[in-house]
């Protein structure tokens, strides 16, 4: 005899798991781009608030020489992860028993980090100490070049550049001194000019997805769905401190840009056992955003070919993704769920034009130069959950999750390699149609080394964690 789990008996349990679920650590992933609101029965609407507080700290590298990639444990960085919050909204309605429409809003991608304290991710004002550190002792006390201070190095550079400016020529020894001293002076001055400033990054995005679904099959068990996606993104980055070598003092502002992509998927449902399964694809979205960059050391590093400030356009492609959502009734009061997400972060790069041009001018990084942000691996995420109706209007839920991260070493602006998580949630039906859900999740972040685009290791981040809290208000009429 077949067991039938009427969906109404499980309705109080459905959606308790998504309050604080699929919130990510890999790459710039945040919301998980959840679409499960569209699969709810009848007319449905939800508003979800999520708050994330992470503790990400470690040690900088005591090796400040830009051309030496060896990591040497240095000073504590303090907590670099900024707490942040975001909203998600969804509305869905059935036109008839075949067609459904929906609108979803979320904030899919983002980053928020800032270094504070006395680590070498914060610009300092001691020019003699800075130039000694970045030169590996070649400039400073007991200098093999005979240059013992920043002032002496700057005076030498000014004198040699003056000879060239007046049409003179340099001896091989003078040219060697200029080649060695000029970058060190430029880096040190850029550090001094931004003294007290912190390294920080802020990325924000918004997305609106319109969905049209069509059910088919003998019992309308199958559904295809899709629609356009509008996405807006902006970013600010400031690199400070000797950790960034020639790039210390670099600042970029990517203005807000809106562009479009699409979503498509297929779903299957079997209401008698509360089974729903959906496979959803989101396309890449290409942005051409106006950007302003400031790179104080650029003129000297490029031998005068590049400016210190530049406005232009940056091309950014947010990654495609695939989500698999599954739920099924285990018994008339218990629901099991599974979520799997894949994002190819290994395809993502952020390449500001001036930053890239300076790296090309050095001749050390090939014809393509350096990207400011890139990742080695694709992200995989899995989350499993159970929801149990414990009273006519109350259900509780639990989840366990794993996120692969996007590689280690990774960018110093987000030094985490995935996480493991556990979560708890509850949903209370205030009336027949209105419900309130609350949930929380604890995360153990994977250890990671922070790495510059040059390959230099500048930080080691271990034993970090965080938590997520969420609140949802939902309405459903069947």
């Amino acid at each position: 005899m077949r067991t039938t789990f009427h969906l109404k008996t499980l309705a109080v349990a459905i959606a308790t798991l998504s309050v604080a679920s699929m919130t990510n650590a890999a790459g710039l992933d945040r919301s998980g781009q959840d679409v499960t609101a569209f699969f709810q029965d009848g007319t449905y609407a939800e508003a979800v608030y999520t708050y994330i507080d992470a503790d990400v700290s470690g040690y900088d590298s005591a090796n400040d020489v830009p051309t030496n990639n060896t990591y040497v444990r240095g000073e504590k960085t303090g907590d670099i992860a900024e707490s942040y919050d975001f909203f998600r909204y969804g509305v869905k309605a059935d036109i008839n028993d075949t067609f459904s429409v929906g609108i979803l809003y979320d904030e899919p991608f983002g980053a928020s980090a800032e270094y504070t304290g006395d680590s070498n991710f914060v610009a300092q004002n001691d020019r003699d100490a800075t130039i000694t550190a970045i030169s590996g002792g070649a400039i400073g006390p007991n200098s093999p070049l005979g240059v013992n201070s920043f002032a002496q190095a700057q005076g030498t550079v000014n004198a040699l550049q003056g000879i060239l400016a007046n049409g003179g020529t340099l001896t091989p020894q003078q040219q060697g001194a200029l080649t060695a001293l000029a970058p060190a002076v430029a880096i040190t001055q850029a550090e001094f000019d931004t003294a007290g400033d912190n390294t920080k990054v802020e990325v924000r995005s918004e997305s609106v997805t319109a969905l049209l679904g069509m059910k088919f099959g003998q019992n309308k068990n199958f559904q295809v769905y899709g629609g356009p996606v509008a996405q807006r993104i902006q970013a600010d980055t400031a690199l400070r401190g000797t950790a960034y070598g020639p790039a210390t003092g670099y600042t970029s502002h990517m203005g807000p840009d809106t562009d479009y992509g699409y979503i498509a998927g297929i779903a299957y449902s079997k209401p008698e056992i509360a089974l729903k399964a959906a496979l959803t694809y989101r396309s890449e979205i290409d942005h051409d955003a106006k950007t302003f960059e400031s790179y104080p050391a650029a003129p000297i590093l490029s031998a005068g070919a590049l400016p210190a400030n530049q406005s232009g356009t940056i091309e950014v492609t947010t990654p495609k993704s695939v989500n698999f959502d599954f739920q099924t009734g285990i018994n008339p009061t218990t629901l099991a769920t599974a979520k799997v997400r894949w994002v190819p972060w290994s395809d993502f790069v952020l390449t500001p034009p001036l930053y890239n041009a300076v790296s090309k001018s050095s001749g050390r990084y090939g014809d393509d130069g350096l990207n400011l942000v890139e990742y080695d691996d694709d992200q995989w995420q899995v989350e499993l959950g159970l929801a149990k109706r414990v009273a006519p209007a109350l259900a509780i839920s639990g989840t366990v999750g794993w996120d692969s991260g996007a590689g280690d070493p990774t960018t110093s602006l987000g030094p985490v390699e995935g996480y493991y998580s556990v979560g708890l949630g509850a949903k209370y039906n205030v009336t027949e149609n209105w419900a309130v859900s609350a949930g929380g999740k604890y995360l153990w972040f994977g250890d990671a080394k922070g790495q510059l685009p040059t390959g230099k290791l500048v930080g080691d981040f271990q034993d970090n964690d965080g938590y997520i809290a969420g609140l949802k208000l939902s309405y459903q009429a069947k």
Side-chain angles (χ1 to χ4, degrees), residues 47 83 155 174 204 207 216 228 250 277-278 292 312 345 358 384 410 441 475:
S83 60
Q174 289 175 320
R204 284 282 184 178
S207 177
F216 63 96
Y250 174 82
F292 171 80
W345 283 108
V358 173
L384 305 176
T410 188
K441 182 187 290 184
Y475 171 86

Side-chain angles (χ1 to χ4, degrees), residues 265-338:
I266 186 168
Y268 173 79
S269 65
K270 194 172 184 180
E272 57 267 30
I273 60 171
L275 185 151
K276 293 182 180 181
L279 188 67
T280 306
Y281 172 84
R282 284 182 180 269
S283 72
E284 297 178 338
I285 297 181
D286 297 323
H287 294 269
D288 291 309
K290 293 181 180 179
T291 185
F292 171 80
E293 297 174 83
S294 176
Y295 199 138
I300 287 181
L301 296 174
S302 65
L306 296 170
N309 301 294
Q310 177 177 292
S311 297
T313 301
I314 183 172
E315 297 178 359
V316 180
T317 300
T318 55
K320 59 190 174 185
S321 64
V322 177
N323 281 21
F324 176 69
D325 296 280
F326 177 84
Q327 70 171 50
T328 187
I330 298 177
N331 60 47
T333 61
T334 306
L335 187 75
T337 67

Side-chain angles (χ1 to χ4, degrees), residues 8-13 333 388-396 427-429:
K8 190 172 182 179
T9 67
L10 283 168
V12 73
T333 61
K388 174 73 174 179
R389 181 167 63 88
V390 295
L394 177 65
I396 59 174
K427 179 183 179 184
Y428 181 74
N429 277 38

Side-chain angles (χ1 to χ4, degrees), residues 10 94 110 201 221 373 431 478:
L10 283 168
D94 294 328
V201 60
N221 294 112
V373 177
T431 69
K478 299 179 182 179

Side-chain angles (χ1 to χ4, degrees), residues 79-391:
D79 182 11
I80 73 168
E82 298 278 285
S83 60
Y84 62 89
D85 56 5
F86 58 88
F87 289 90
R88 188 176 81 235
Y89 306 101
V91 177
K92 175 261 178 183
D94 294 328
I95 299 174
N96 51 42
D97 64 351
T98 298
F99 293 99
S100 301
V101 293
I103 296 287
L104 306 176
Y105 168 88
D106 73 340
E107 300 177 28
F109 306 113
S112 185
E114 182 173 8
Y115 288 86
T116 58
D118 296 324
S119 74
N120 60 13
F121 295 98
V122 178
Q124 307 297 326
N125 62 4
D126 189 334
R127 287 185 285 193
D128 286 341
T130 298
I131 202 165
T132 298
I134 65 173
S135 68
I139 302 170
N142 304 315
S143 166
L145 299 175
V147 181
N148 300 318
S149 67
F150 171 81
Q152 189 175 356
Q154 186 180 47
T156 302
V157 168
N158 289 341
L160 295 175
Q161 289 180 334
I163 294 173
L164 294 174
N166 291 322
T169 58
L170 301 180
T171 67
Q173 184 178 7
Q174 289 175 320
Q175 183 60 57
L178 181 60
T179 301
L181 295 177
V185 168
I187 295 169
T188 302
Q189 189 61 47
E191 171 87 353
F192 180 80
D193 290 342
T194 56
D197 289 357
N198 303 324
T199 293
K200 54 188 174 182
V201 60
E202 183 76 24
V203 179
R204 284 282 184 178
S205 68
E206 297 175 283
S207 177
V208 176
T209 302
L211 285 165
L212 173 65
M214 183 185 73
K215 295 179 180 178
F216 63 96
Q218 185 175 0
N219 298 311
K220 305 288 187 180
N221 294 112
F222 291 92
Q223 183 183 41
V224 292
Y225 53 92
V229 178
Q231 185 184 91
R232 183 176 184 267
I233 191 168
Q234 63 184 83
D236 289 281
T237 303
L239 306 182
R240 300 292 186 267
T242 54
Y244 293 100
T248 186
Y250 174 82
T251 303
S252 69
H253 169 69
M254 187 181 83
D257 179 77
T258 300
D259 222 304
Y260 304 91
Y262 66 90
I263 184 174
I266 186 168
Y268 173 79
S269 65
K270 194 172 184 180
E272 57 267 30
I273 60 171
L275 185 151
K276 293 182 180 181
L279 188 67
T280 306
Y281 172 84
R282 284 182 180 269
S283 72
E284 297 178 338
I285 297 181
D286 297 323
H287 294 269
D288 291 309
K290 293 181 180 179
T291 185
F292 171 80
E293 297 174 83
S294 176
Y295 199 138
I300 287 181
L301 296 174
S302 65
L306 296 170
N309 301 294
Q310 177 177 292
S311 297
T313 301
I314 183 172
E315 297 178 359
V316 180
T317 300
T318 55
K320 59 190 174 185
S321 64
V322 177
N323 281 21
F324 176 69
D325 296 280
F326 177 84
Q327 70 171 50
T328 187
I330 298 177
N331 60 47
T333 61
T334 306
L335 187 75
T337 67
K339 294 174 176 283
V340 180
R341 176 169 168 81
W342 171 76
V343 185
W345 283 108
S346 60
D347 295 339
F348 176 84
V349 294
L350 184 64
T351 314
L354 180 58
Y355 181 92
N356 180 251
V358 173
S359 69
K360 287 181 181 178
S361 71
S362 72
R364 296 172 54 197
Y365 305 109
D367 294 337
D368 295 330
L370 296 176
N371 304 306
L372 179 60
V373 177
E374 60 185 348
Y375 300 98
D376 291 333
D377 298 335
D378 295 345
Q379 173 196 10
W380 283 94
Q381 188 185 60
V382 179
E383 186 172 270
L384 305 176
L386 283 175
K388 174 73 174 179
R389 181 167 63 88
V390 295

